[in-house]
């Protein structure tokens, strides 16, 4: 390779494609190790008494579905298996459809679970942080009906739910703004309720400071790995677990490319230095 | 007056909301709650306004045949089709002006809006996000070059976090004995994310928070008027 010559990006794209596709077809089964942040999320769900009501907020759209949907599915199923009642809401318009997809799955997987009794979808509300703040004062003002237009007074799950005081915790699956930060800043910091959730891998570093001694955020599921860890803890491998092999190999390939880039750089630098002499 | 009235409204509303946070009086709480409700109503209308604006901007670009104008036709058609299908036959959970479109559902297996959402929008959206992986790989190859001390640190941290955040990290260092567990890649990655990253992020967040307070005060005091459409 001559000086300053770089690998054609099309080769990089092709290799990435192969490295992602092959492990999805031929599963390797690399080990999954749980981190403290994921365990905190799991413990919060496990320690919530049966019969409690929790809010799951779907603050993402199909773009971030591969990372957030598996964790949302795993957490929701875990809640329902523990008889924790789930109230679904969304700060993103497409979040409603994301929740509905899980709802469809639940219909066949948990036929005994009843809509309106064990879980309910209240739908999307515009307004971000202000919506969360207003929910903390009165649920009924913000959500007079559920997604189907049924008055929430007719839904048994909403009996006695006035505001965040009647909620065990909030869990947000967040791909950006509005999302988990708004839930932390209002639900935890103003109303003192535990908040947990999951975010995409790229946004995890910005959300991690909220996982602190004050427990502004009780644990965090970060990216596909967080989702795979949760699936591992609930012993229900899903799409995140199978995706981890592909992600691991793709990361390894990126590291190899970085190494090649550095070798090229130092070789070119050496050649330039020799030419200078 | 066209400019002064919005400025006065902004000033009053801004100060009422700020003061209501500090004064534990029922009256202030009620005003604050009412303003929150107004905000939610305005947010709803803002979505409609955004859609109208999207339509207008694209329409004008096509009308004046601006560069790449055929792409704007695609945007506009997609927009009209989705809004139209949603309005005429509704979505999964609601009916449209023409009811539920039983005949269409019998053919497509879904309402037209949901059919397009599940079979077109979702896949396009996921594809856009997936393309990131290809560009990140290509960019990382060029960007993570060990030129000096700082870039060396960045490079080492990036490689450790990348390995630690995958199953490879566990596979490569899982065999280490208990006394050397601190060298375990997931642990190293967790340490980097928990301490250096959190410290840096906090500094950014505090800076952004101060900036937000500054710009909010500028808006409330009428110094910043760009939201009115001028400088």
């Amino acid at each position: 390779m001559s000086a300053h010559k770089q690998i054609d990006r099309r080769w990089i794209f092709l290799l990435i494609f192969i490295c992602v596709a092959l492990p999805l077809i031929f599963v390797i089964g690399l080990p999954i190790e749980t981190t403290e942040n994921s365990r905190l999320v799991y413990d919060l769900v496990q320690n919530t008494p049966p019969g409690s009501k929790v809010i799951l907020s779907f603050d993402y759209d199909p773009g971030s579905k591969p990372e957030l949907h598996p964790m949302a599915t795993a957490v929701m199923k875990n809640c329902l298996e523990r008889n924790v009642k789930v109230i679904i809401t969304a700060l993103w318009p497409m979040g409603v459809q994301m929740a509905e997809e899980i709802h469809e799955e639940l219909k066949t997987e948990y036929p005994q679970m009843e809509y309106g009794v064990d879980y309910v979808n209240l739908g999307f509300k515009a307004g971000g942080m202000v919506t969360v703040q207003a929910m903390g004062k009165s649920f009924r003002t913000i959500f007079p009906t559920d997604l189907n237009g049924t008055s929430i007074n007719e839904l048994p799950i909403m009996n006695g739910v006035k505001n965040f005081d009647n909620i065990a915790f909030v869990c947000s699956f967040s791909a950006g703004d509005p999302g988990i930060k708004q839930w932390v800043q209002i639900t935890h910091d103003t109303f003192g309720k535990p908040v947990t959730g999951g975010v995409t891998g790229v946004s995890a570093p910005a959300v991690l400071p909220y996982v602190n001694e004050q427990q502004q955020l009780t644990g965090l599921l970060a990216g596909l790995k967080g989702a795979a860890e949760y699936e591992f803890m609930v012993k229900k491998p899903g799409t995140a677990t199978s995706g981890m092999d592909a992600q691991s190999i793709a990361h390894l390939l990126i590291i190899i490319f970085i190494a090649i880039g550095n070798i090229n750089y130092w070789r070119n630098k050496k050649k330039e230095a020799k030419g200078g002499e | 007056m066209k400019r002064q009235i919005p400025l006065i409204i902004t000033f009053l509303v801004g100060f009422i909301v700020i003061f209501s946070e500090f004064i534990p009086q029922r009256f202030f709480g009620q005003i604050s709650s009412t303003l929150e409700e107004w905000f939610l109503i305005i947010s709803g209308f803002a979505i409609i306004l955004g859609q109208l604006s999207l339509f207008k901007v694209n329409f004008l670009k096509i009308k004046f045949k601006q560069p790449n104008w055929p792409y704007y036709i695609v945007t506009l058609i997609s927009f009209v089709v989705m809004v139209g299908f949603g309005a005429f036959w509704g979505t999964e959970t609601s009916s449209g002006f023409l009811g539920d479109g039983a005949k269409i559902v019998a053919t497509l297996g879904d309402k037209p809006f949901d059919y397009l959402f599940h079979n077109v929008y979702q896949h396009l959206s996921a594809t856009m996000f997936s393309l990131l992986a290809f560009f990140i790989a290509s960019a990382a190859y060029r960007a993570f070059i060990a030129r000096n001390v700082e870039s060396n640190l960045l490079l080492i941290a990036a490689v450790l976090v990348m390995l630690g955040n995958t199953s490879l990290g566990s596979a490569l260092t899982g065999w280490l004995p208990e006394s050397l567990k601190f060298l375990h890649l997931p642990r190293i990655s967790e340490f980097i994310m928990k301490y250096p990253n959190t410290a840096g992020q906090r500094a950014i967040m505090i800076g952004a928070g101060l900036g937000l307070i500054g710009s909010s005060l500028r808006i409330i005091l009428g110094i910043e008027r760009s939201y009115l459409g001028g400088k």
Side-chain angles (χ1 to χ4, degrees):
Chain A
M1 198 183 280
S2 65
H4 298 292
K5 197 175 178 186
Q6 299 219 336
I7 303 172
D8 188 331
R9 67 165 64 186
R10 284 172 295 185
W11 286 111
I12 299 175
F13 292 168
L14 181 69
L15 282 169
I16 283 282
F17 174 74
I18 294 168
C19 284
V20 171
L22 284 182
L24 287 174
I25 301 163
F26 307 104
V27 179
I28 306 166
L30 288 165
I32 290 166
E33 201 170 314
T34 56
T35 54
E36 192 193 343
N37 287 341
S38 300
R39 278 196 298 274
L40 284 169
V41 180
Y42 176 74
D43 290 344
L44 182 67
V45 178
Q46 294 307 110
N47 296 332
T48 303
S52 308
K53 289 156 189 172
V54 301
I55 294 174
L56 298 192
S57 183
F58 286 69
D59 309 327
Y60 65 95
D61 63 5
S64 35
K65 190 180 166 189
E67 282 185 285
L68 297 175
H69 209 61
M71 60 176 80
T73 310
V75 172
M76 191 159 165
K77 283 181 182 175
N78 193 20
C79 286
L80 291 175
E81 276 170 7
R82 298 203 65 260
N83 195 26
V84 171
K85 315 275 181 192
V86 174
I87 298 166
I88 295 165
T89 180
L91 298 180
W92 283 37
M94 296 292 170
V96 180
Q97 270 90 353
M98 299 293 101
E100 279 300 293
E101 279 186 23
I102 300 176
H103 181 191
E104 286 303 313
E105 239 181 282
L106 293 173
K107 276 183 195 169
T108 48
E109 217 169 311
Y110 302 94
Q112 76 280 12
M113 295 293 174
E114 205 181 324
Y115 180 81
V117 177
D118 298 298
Y119 59 99
V120 67
N121 192 344
L122 298 181
F124 159 74
K125 273 285 174 260
M129 186 181 259
V130 179
T131 305
V132 180
Q133 196 156 9
M135 275 169 79
K137 289 172 187 166
S138 170
F139 244 85
R140 278 164 172 75
T141 318
I142 305 302
F143 293 107
T145 62
D146 75 344
L147 193 62
N148 307 317
T150 313
S151 166
I152 67 168
N153 294 324
E154 294 170 25
L155 298 163
I157 189 173
M158 297 307 290
N159 283 346
V161 179
K162 197 183 163 205
N163 50 35
F164 289 140
D165 289 340
N166 316 109
I167 296 293
F169 67 82
V170 172
C171 181
S172 164
F173 304 102
S174 162
D177 195 12
I180 202 161
K181 279 189 184 180
Q182 280 70 25
W183 286 107
V184 169
Q185 286 164 2
I186 302 296
T187 315
H188 179 273
D189 297 353
T190 309
F191 295 96
K193 282 285 153 183
V195 176
T196 187
V199 292
T200 54
V202 284
S203 50
V207 181
L208 273 170
Y210 291 106
V211 187
N212 49 33
E213 301 256 314
Q214 289 76 35
Q215 288 200 320
Q216 282 183 290
L217 197 53
T218 313
L220 183 73
L221 300 173
L224 196 71
K225 187 168 187 273
E229 286 176 38
Y230 204 90
E231 284 179 355
F232 176 76
M233 285 186 283
V234 293
K235 296 181 182 66
K236 281 196 174 163
T239 50
T241 308
S242 54
M244 274 310 284
D245 286 346
Q247 197 196 45
S248 302
I249 302 299
H251 276 214
L252 183 67
L253 186 70
I254 292 172
I255 290 167
I256 293 169
F257 281 138
I258 292 172
I260 294 170
N262 277 284
I263 292 166
N264 274 351
Y265 172 76
W266 286 104
R267 210 166 53 179
N268 292 338
K269 209 176 166 187
K270 223 174 174 182
K271 274 184 187 170
E272 274 171 19
K274 272 185 185 172
E277 283 166 15
Chain B
M1 285 302 274
K2 203 176 163 186
R3 285 187 156 263
Q4 276 155 345
I5 290 174
L7 285 175
I8 293 166
I9 294 172
T10 310
F11 177 82
L12 288 174
V13 170
F15 267 93
I16 288 170
V17 173
I18 291 174
F19 277 118
S20 67
E21 291 294 323
F22 295 100
I23 304 170
Q25 287 291 326
R26 195 180 162 83
F27 173 69
F28 282 98
Q30 278 172 343
I31 293 182
S32 180
S33 296
T34 308
L35 288 172
E36 276 169 11
E37 283 170 30
W38 288 5
F39 179 88
L40 297 176
I41 295 164
I42 293 167
S43 299
F45 278 102
I47 293 174
I48 300 170
L49 199 67
Q51 289 171 340
L52 289 174
S53 170
L54 180 94
F55 190 88
K56 189 184 159 190
V57 167
N58 282 281
F59 181 76
L60 290 176
K61 279 181 176 168
I62 297 163
K63 192 182 172 187
F64 297 111
K65 292 210 165 41
Q66 287 194 356
N68 299 322
W69 64 272
Y71 295 120
Y72 299 110
I73 296 178
V74 179
T75 310
L76 217 52
I77 291 172
S78 311
F79 176 73
V80 171
V81 166
M82 285 302 270
V83 171
F85 282 174
F88 291 139
W89 295 286
T91 60
E92 201 173 343
T93 48
S94 59
S95 303
F97 296 133
L98 303 177
D100 288 315
K103 279 184 186 171
I104 304 171
V105 174
T107 317
L108 289 177
D110 225 338
K111 285 187 178 182
F113 180 90
D114 296 320
Y115 183 82
L116 285 180
F117 179 80
H118 293 305
N119 297 298
V120 181
Y121 182 81
Q122 277 213 39
H123 300 291
L124 285 175
S125 192
T127 305
M128 286 300 291
F129 193 71
S130 308
L131 285 175
L132 267 180
F134 294 95
F135 289 112
I136 286 172
S138 175
Y141 165 66
R142 290 169 176 79
F144 285 113
I145 300 292
R147 289 189 179 88
N148 47 38
V149 180
E150 289 85 354
S151 57
N152 262 309
L153 284 172
L154 187 70
L155 173 65
I156 294 164
V159 170
L160 289 173
V161 171
M162 262 196 274
L163 279 175
N165 276 353
T166 61
S167 304
L168 273 175
S170 313
L172 288 172
T173 52
W175 53 272
L176 284 170
E178 197 56 42
S179 56
L180 293 172
K181 275 286 176 196
F182 64 95
L183 289 174
H184 197 37
L185 277 167
R187 279 199 188 184
I188 295 174
S189 166
E190 214 175 342
F191 174 84
I192 292 171
M193 296 299 281
K194 204 170 174 180
Y195 298 102
N197 165 68
T198 301
Q201 288 292 343
R202 279 202 181 123
I204 295 168
M205 283 158 82
I206 291 167
L210 290 172
L212 192 69
I213 294 168
S215 9
S216 303
L217 281 174
R218 279 173 65 87
I219 292 170
I220 291 168
L221 297 173
I223 302 164
E224 171 70 53
R225 300 174 182 197
S226 56
Y227 68 96
L228 291 172
K231 284 183 183 176

